[in-house]
Amino acid sequence: MTALEPTTTPGSSAPGGLVKSVVELDRVVIRLAGDSGDGMQLTGNRFTSETASFGNDLSTLPNFPAEIRAPTGTLPGVSSFQLHFADHDIMTPGDAPDVLVAMNPAALKANLGDLPGGGLVIADSDEFTPRNLAKVGYATNPLEDGSLDGWQVVAVPLTSMTLEALADSGLGKKEAERSKNMFTLGLLSWMYHRPTEGTVRFLERQFRRKPGIAAANIAAFRAGYNYGETTEAFAVSYEIKPAPMPPGRYRNISGNQALALGLVAAGQRSGLPVFLGAYPITPASDILHELSRHKAFGVRTFQAEDEIAGIGAALGASFGGALGITTTSGPGVSLKSEALGLAVMTELPLVVVDVQRGGPSTGLPTKTEQSDLLQAMFGRNGEAPLPVIAPRSPGDCFDAALEAARIALKYRTPVMLLSDGYLANGAEPWAVPAVDELPDLRVEFATEPNGAAADGTPEFLPYLRDPETLARPWAVPGTAGMQHRIGGLEKADKSGNISYDPANHDLMTRLRQAKVDGIAADIPPTDVDDPDGDARVAVIGWGSTYGPIGAACRRIRRSGRSVAQIHLRHVNPMPADLGEVLGRYDRVVCPEMNMGQLALLLRAKYLVDVQSHTQVRGLPFRAAELAAVVQDVIDSTTPTASTGGTT
């Protein structure tokens, strides 16, 4: 168990006179691991919800196989859920767990290497049978052979105790065993002083049509809690006090949930119906699921037969006067590329959500990556520029969705919103905003002619641009006098008629580019965190690397060194002052979960010798790893004597 300053306080007497102490920690990282059918994701989500309601700051990292049900007891079938919670502001799910709950030998073997020496292992001893041990290559039982002497190990017969607790439930052995995750949740709830009422209400609601199952799960949950309170195996429980947060109403939210709610809010603030055309794909499908629940807010969802139909329907909805949205992941963006070009040519508002995953091809469907940036920038035929926005945390997905809709509507352009699997499935506390404080996204449709024909007759010019934004007017089909051509052939300036004129094509290509470039004047300046103002090294990132980079910079500053963090939400166009900001620093480091795509763009645009640090492991960066990399750059840039720090 690790903490900066653990404090032990006397505890109360458990039944039987056993006195248990309470250790106060400032933070803890727990990893739950088991078969993909053991309910680790549900258990983790419930523990997270209770932790959020308690008031801790938190960050989560679900990690599960792509297979619906991998072979039981095997390494490929291991599913895990990591939760970092603290009494202060945190930025990542933690580099390594302090506590590992292993539901079988496979879970232990797959995760033990991440557990630091002295960490706590809680293992379901019932599952460490010769057959299960053999499946993962254990010749002897690690719970008994001394190989785990470097860790604190508590072997708990979770399965048999669950069966004993449910002996009178009327459930069969197999059904009763499924409740062992709730027994585990009860034990952890006792260990970390988590509220229990919310979980009981959740189980009653979740299984309201199966009261017997609800009762069994509640009984297992309470049995686990009582076991922790009465057993001599756990003489200590732990307390992590709530984190100070600004006043407000908070909820625990995942990235996909936040993004979906941001799109709903965009519809409400624009006064437009929201239309989602989407084909289910991991890890974006939860956005479709969430939006389908909000018909009352004017949201329509269409589950298309394929990716092309999804974006085609969304673009058609935009043509019809709705806020068109399509969601996908990297493989789907490839399929949508021709229709994206059509959206650029027709200059209609469209939000394209790419929840990135490991690639190429099917790749790693349930693992995270940032490898679609260049595809978002250039993955269309011809010169087809579009804005690219990337959220930095699960909660920030809400604001990024609103911003993507704002730009799409104001500038009449498709916008690419690049989330990723780490943000999509991760969760954190989110301050629920007041709706009337959200940006006003209302638009005005064209209802009157805006030009004149050669004979002076009023006419509608669909490509007569706004002088400030270069956006063209948006006319809803059926509006009298607003008939105009639409399609993928090049448009004549102002009239929108089909044109093959070379000079016109050159003009329209440059206008489309200028429209996107001009958005730089309408976005905030570069986000720079340089507390002392004397850093000579800056670390720049985009999207979900914000948390690990920020945590790494905090580590370096605690050691007495200076480092700046630069973060980009708007990747295209980049902030207008970014070139000047980068020029302030002697060295610029760019960590990415790809092979250096942002670094490539920065070098090309600003001629800055960016040092790229990359990883494509399907997992987020570890703060300690990034801190070591940046520390080496600082040491090679600034003489130790001038920093006042140590090496």
Side-chain angles (χ1 to χ4, degrees), residues 6-12 19-24 193 236-237 239:
T7 303
T8 304
T9 57
S12 58
V19 178
K20 300 198 173 191
S21 59
V22 177
V23 174
E24 185 177 313
H193 296 234
V236 175
S237 63
E239 183 177 25

Side-chain angles (χ1 to χ4, degrees), residues 63-85:
N63 189 3
F64 44 87
E67 291 76 17
I68 294 174
R69 190 67 171 93
T72 304
T74 63
L75 293 173
V78 173
S79 172
S80 68
F81 188 102
Q82 183 163 305
L83 167 66
H84 181 193
F85 59 106

Side-chain angles (χ1 to χ4, degrees), residues 334-367:
S334 301
L335 293 167
K336 295 179 189 290
S337 61
E338 184 178 5
L340 263 174
L342 177 61
V344 172
M345 178 64 78
T346 56
E347 300 190 45
L348 288 167
L350 179 71
V351 177
V352 181
V353 179
D354 176 4
V355 186
Q356 301 166 94
R357 70 191 208 188
S361 187
T362 307
L364 304 172
T366 61
K367 310 301 180 185

Side-chain angles (χ1 to χ4, degrees), residues 435-457:
V435 176
D436 57 2
E437 295 177 0
L438 299 177
D440 186 348
L441 305 183
R442 286 175 293 183
V443 296
E444 292 186 6
F445 292 113
T447 57
E448 300 289 340
N450 59 354
D455 61 0
T457 305

Side-chain angles (χ1 to χ4, degrees), residues 79-204:
S79 172
S80 68
F81 188 102
Q82 183 163 305
L83 167 66
H84 181 193
F85 59 106
D87 65 3
H88 57 275
D89 172 51
I90 57 175
M91 303 185 76
T92 75
D95 283 1
D98 305 309
V99 180
L100 171 62
V101 179
M103 303 299 282
N104 59 23
L108 178 67
K109 190 165 190 175
N111 293 278
L112 186 62
D114 293 335
L115 186 69
L120 175 63
V121 178
I122 302 173
D124 183 358
S125 56
D126 289 329
E127 292 297 316
F128 282 70
T129 63
R131 183 166 181 258
N132 286 343
L133 293 169
K135 285 183 180 180
V136 294
Y138 279 130
T140 58
N141 189 342
L143 302 181
E144 301 170 352
D145 63 10
S147 61
L148 300 179
D149 287 349
W151 296 271
Q152 305 173 59
V153 180
V154 181
V156 181
L158 295 171
T159 302
S160 57
M161 285 195 295
T162 301
L163 293 175
E164 182 180 348
L166 303 183
D168 299 326
S169 67
L171 298 180
K173 181 174 181 292
K174 190 172 183 180
E175 285 183 310
E177 281 185 0
R178 290 174 181 161
S179 296
K180 66 181 178 182
N181 64 326
M182 287 297 105
F183 188 100
T184 305
L185 179 59
L187 172 59
L188 292 173
S189 298
W190 171 81
M191 284 183 65
Y192 293 98
H193 296 234
R194 301 295 92 181
T196 60
E197 298 82 3
T199 295
V200 172
R201 289 195 299 269
F202 167 80
L203 292 170
E204 290 173 341

Side-chain angles (χ1 to χ4, degrees), residues 599-613:
L600 180 69
L601 296 175
L602 294 174
R603 289 182 183 125
K605 186 173 180 63
Y606 300 108
L607 302 181
V608 174
D609 186 17
V610 177
Q611 178 175 328
S612 180
H613 178 71

